[in-house]
Amino acid sequence: MGLPLAAGELRPMGFGFPSYVNLLREKLERSTGSKAREFDGKALASLAGISLQGESALLQKPGDCLRLPKADLYRVVFQGREGASLAEVRLDGKPYATVPLTMPKSDYMYRFCPILCEPGGGEAELYCLEGSVLIYRAEAYTGSFAVINSGLGSCPLSRYLLPEVWDSWVKAWHPAAVIAEGNTINDWLAQETPEEYERLLLQEINMIRRMGAQPFLHTVSPILGPQDMPYSPVRYSCLVEAARQVARREQVPFADANQEMEQKMAALPQQEGAALLFSDPWHPNAQGHHIYAQLLFELISPFLSGLL
């Protein structure tokens, strides 16, 4: 759910960015006592007393190690290299995963590694086995709940549901719940018909349920300006209604952020309403993200209370 660092990038966004995923995480931390910590490359290099190469901490040679603070769950993002690069993750001193990091040069040479600890938590260590290893980012979660940002920019649902994306960005976490973002701009730009989009949403809901997780669904903001070609032959509002219909039909807990924002804008002159909620005609501003976060917090809180 949510947005990555930048459109199309395979890197997670920092916790400080005012997106609804980060705002929702903050609300859940305050209400449950759970905690999330993030470490960028500079913080990781300082933590281990090692060098920084570009934006990533550098394990220069085999045997070099970076130890992370104790947590219940980690997300580590390695940066790939063209040359030899092989990492090993150890949990409480025992081998947990081997991560090959040699890859062809591209703009986005990153690889995720989820680390799921046993009850009571654990301590993760990252080792260089071959060549050198770059560690771009790490997240450490403690407590009963963790909000994992699994959003992928510029990615329509038809691509997101492919195994090479879904399995690493969603399934690998064994989630208790998945909040699906409906009627995204990228789905609209994919020029799918409402019927095709409904089928994709139904596929996503079924994939969530097959993992044993509870699906939640929400709409996102309306868009301002033209809703026709060259963008799409389908009006954006048709995809919004498709999400509503799937939620009703499948009895999926649902938050209609689109309707909430439409109502707030309707009470104001057009330019004032746009300035209140939007950073540009297609994307909400910080206030718009606050609306998403509050609606979702109210939506999922009863479910989370039942897990305690």
Side-chain angles (χ1 to χ4, degrees), residues 124-191:
E125 298 172 310
L126 313 178
Y127 280 87
C128 175
L129 291 186
E130 295 179 9
S132 58
V133 167
L134 291 169
I135 308 164
Y136 174 76
R137 176 182 173 81
E139 300 168 6
Y141 298 84
T142 56
S144 301
F145 300 106
V147 175
I148 305 295
N149 187 347
S150 293
L152 180 58
S154 301
C155 182
L157 190 55
S158 56
R159 178 190 170 203
Y160 195 82
L161 298 181
L162 296 175
E164 55 264 33
V165 178
W166 180 267
D167 288 356
S168 59
W169 284 74
V170 181
K171 189 175 180 180
W173 298 104
H174 305 285
V178 177
I179 301 175
E181 187 179 275
N183 62 275
T184 70
I185 291 293
N186 300 305
D187 293 314
W188 179 60
L189 294 176
Q191 301 189 3

Side-chain angles (χ1 to χ4, degrees), residues 241-263:
E241 187 56 36
R244 291 170 178 150
Q245 290 181 14
V246 169
R248 285 194 295 267
R249 191 166 60 242
E250 293 298 311
Q251 299 183 339
V252 173
F254 181 67
D256 201 341
N258 182 279
Q259 182 181 68
E260 181 83 3
M261 295 179 75
E262 289 274 21
Q263 291 173 347

Side-chain angles (χ1 to χ4, degrees), residues 9 25 49 52 54 70 90 97 120 135 144 147 170 200 207 222 239 256 294 297 305:
E9 292 214 6
R25 181 186 296 114
L52 186 70
K70 184 176 181 179
R90 298 179 190 174
I135 308 164
S144 301
V147 175
V170 181
L200 286 169
M207 290 169 69
L239 293 194
D256 201 341
Q294 183 60 34
F297 180 69
S305 295

Side-chain angles (χ1 to χ4, degrees), residues 23-268:
L23 296 170
L24 178 61
R25 181 186 296 114
E26 292 171 4
K27 289 177 180 290
L28 287 178
E29 286 183 1
R30 288 194 295 268
S31 66
T32 67
S34 299
K35 185 67 176 176
R37 299 176 64 187
E38 61 174 337
F39 304 86
D40 62 11
K42 184 177 180 180
L44 290 170
S46 177
L47 182 69
I50 58 178
S51 300
L52 186 70
Q53 181 171 307
E55 297 181 87
S56 298
L58 172 65
L59 299 177
Q60 295 187 10
K61 62 184 184 302
D64 284 357
C65 172
L66 188 155
R67 292 176 176 84
L68 294 173
K70 184 176 181 179
D72 296 300
L73 180 151
Y74 301 90
R75 172 158 72 169
V76 177
V77 186
F78 293 97
Q79 183 175 349
R81 300 171 63 93
E82 289 184 276
S85 186
L86 180 67
E88 182 182 58
V89 177
R90 298 179 190 174
L91 188 58
D92 295 328
K94 299 177 181 178
Y96 182 86
T98 301
V99 187
L101 295 168
T102 301
M103 57 185 70
K105 185 174 178 59
S106 71
D107 291 334
Y108 309 118
M109 300 168 66
Y110 302 94
R111 182 155 292 164
F112 286 81
C113 181
I115 306 172
L116 310 179
C117 304
E118 296 293 332
E123 294 184 347
E125 298 172 310
L126 313 178
Y127 280 87
C128 175
L129 291 186
E130 295 179 9
S132 58
V133 167
L134 291 169
I135 308 164
Y136 174 76
R137 176 182 173 81
E139 300 168 6
Y141 298 84
T142 56
S144 301
F145 300 106
V147 175
I148 305 295
N149 187 347
S150 293
L152 180 58
S154 301
C155 182
L157 190 55
S158 56
R159 178 190 170 203
Y160 195 82
L161 298 181
L162 296 175
E164 55 264 33
V165 178
W166 180 267
D167 288 356
S168 59
W169 284 74
V170 181
K171 189 175 180 180
W173 298 104
H174 305 285
V178 177
I179 301 175
E181 187 179 275
N183 62 275
T184 70
I185 291 293
N186 300 305
D187 293 314
W188 179 60
L189 294 176
Q191 301 189 3
E192 290 150 349
T193 67
E195 294 76 19
E196 290 170 334
Y197 185 60
E198 283 190 34
R199 286 195 291 272
L200 286 169
L201 279 177
L202 179 59
Q203 179 184 347
E204 182 178 27
I205 289 167
N206 287 334
M207 290 169 69
I208 294 170
R209 286 171 169 162
R210 284 198 295 271
M211 293 189 298
Q214 169 65 52
F216 294 85
L217 180 63
H218 72 103
T219 56
V220 296
S221 64
I223 64 172
L224 311 178
Q227 295 190 31
D228 49 24
M229 297 301 285
Y231 302 115
S232 176
V234 176
R235 287 194 65 79
Y236 184 71
S237 56
C238 294
L239 293 194
V240 179
E241 187 56 36
R244 291 170 178 150
Q245 290 181 14
V246 169
R248 285 194 295 267
R249 191 166 60 242
E250 293 298 311
Q251 299 183 339
V252 173
F254 181 67
D256 201 341
N258 182 279
Q259 182 181 68
E260 181 83 3
M261 295 179 75
E262 289 274 21
Q263 291 173 347
K264 288 185 180 298
M265 287 194 299
L268 296 169

